[in-house]
Amino acid sequence: MKMRQLEYFITIAEEGGFNRAANRLHVAQPSLSVQIKALEEEVGARLFERDKRNVFLTQAGKQFQQHARAILSLAETAKVEARCADAGDVAGRNFPHLVGG
Amino acid sequence: MKMRQLEYFITIAEEGGFNRAANRLHVAQPSLSVQIKALEEEVGARLFERDKRNVFLTQAGKQFQQHARAILSLAETAKVEARCADAGDVAGRNFPHLVGG
DNA sequence: AAATCTTACGGGTGACGTAACGATC
DNA sequence: GATCGTTACGTCACCCGTAAGATTT
């Protein structure tokens, strides 16, 4: 599982289609198709239901979406807090609301 | 930031050295050195303090370690829960304690 | 025929392993 | 001299974009 794949997955879910997501992500549709296919194989479950014209999240996809968002959000938090700690951890200890913790 | 880099980082922190971590991860030491360097640059803070013979976590590294573990743990949870949901979500709805929800 | 996702193929970037280097005990 | 982390370099896999295919409206 790769961060990039999670970003792709979330964008497709938000846009409701590979084409829109590709446009927003500035990549080609086939890249998304391949990466989502790889992600689904690793997860072991179908995340999108390719239904005729639009794509919908399966129940597994809905579950996965929340976790994927949490992972990416946590990754950003990790970077921010590490920088705060590096700068003497002043913000982290004295102003925790600035770093989410 | 990549999942692989987080795994490398955590293993080095646990083993207290690049050599031990490389042995456990079945990769060569230079790979770890390069990837950790890249991770530190992206984070914007020094995560390890290369002190003579052993490596120690900086304060930024300690902060980052907790988040890194949470991210990898969450990634595993995401896969497990997605599979549960795919299997009809019986466990997820009726036995949430089995899937952490 | 237009739009959408999927599969096949070639090129560029990145990760890895081996080898060489500097530093420490 | 032995051990550890870093840097340089060649090789290989992976990701991406283009092109072609299948399906639906």
Side-chain angles (χ1 to χ4, degrees):
Chain A
M1 185 189 306
K2 294 165 188 174
M3 299 277 190
R4 184 77 54 91
Q5 293 173 342
L6 299 183
E7 296 174 7
Y8 287 179
F9 167 78
I10 289 174
T11 305
I12 293 169
E14 286 178 359
E15 294 292 338
F18 285 63
N19 205 335
R20 290 270 179 79
N23 189 24
R24 202 216 274 183
L25 291 165
H26 304 293
V27 295
Q29 293 91 335
S31 299
L32 302 185
S33 185
V34 171
Q35 291 303 318
I36 295 301
K37 181 181 177 64
L39 181 61
E40 287 176 328
E41 286 181 358
E42 180 176 356
V43 171
R46 205 76 171 167
L47 300 175
F48 289 114
E49 191 169 1
R50 285 78 163 175
D51 197 352
K52 318 296 181 184
R53 199 152 183 96
N54 289 331
V55 295
F56 306 97
L57 283 170
T58 62
Q59 191 153 5
K62 291 178 184 175
Q63 281 282 344
F64 196 80
Q65 184 184 33
Q66 299 180 8
H67 292 304
R69 279 180 170 155
I71 289 170
L72 295 183
S73 175
L74 201 54
E76 289 304 313
T77 302
K79 285 192 280 191
V80 172
E81 289 203 20
R83 292 191 201 107
C84 289
D86 186 54
D89 197 30
V90 177
R93 274 188 278 104
N94 298 336
F95 309 103
H97 61 283
L98 290 176
V99 290
Chain B
M1 185 189 304
K2 294 166 187 173
M3 298 278 190
R4 185 77 54 92
Q5 292 172 344
L6 299 183
E7 296 174 7
Y8 287 0
F9 167 78
I10 289 173
T11 304
I12 293 169
E14 287 178 358
E15 294 292 338
F18 285 62
N19 204 335
R20 290 272 179 77
N23 188 23
R24 201 216 275 182
L25 291 165
H26 302 293
V27 296
Q29 292 93 336
S31 299
L32 301 185
S33 185
V34 171
Q35 291 303 317
I36 294 301
K37 182 181 176 66
L39 181 61
E40 287 176 328
E41 286 181 358
E42 180 176 354
V43 171
R46 204 77 170 167
L47 300 176
F48 289 114
E49 190 169 2
R50 284 77 163 175
D51 197 352
K52 318 296 181 183
R53 198 145 183 102
N54 289 330
V55 295
F56 306 98
L57 283 171
T58 63
Q59 192 156 2
K62 290 178 185 176
Q63 281 282 343
F64 196 79
Q65 185 184 32
Q66 298 180 9
H67 292 305
R69 279 180 171 155
I71 289 170
L72 295 183
S73 175
L74 201 53
E76 289 304 313
T77 301
K79 284 193 280 191
V80 171
E81 288 203 21
R83 292 191 200 108
C84 288
D86 185 54
D89 196 31
V90 176
R93 273 188 280 103
N94 297 336
F95 309 103
H97 61 283
L98 290 176
V99 290

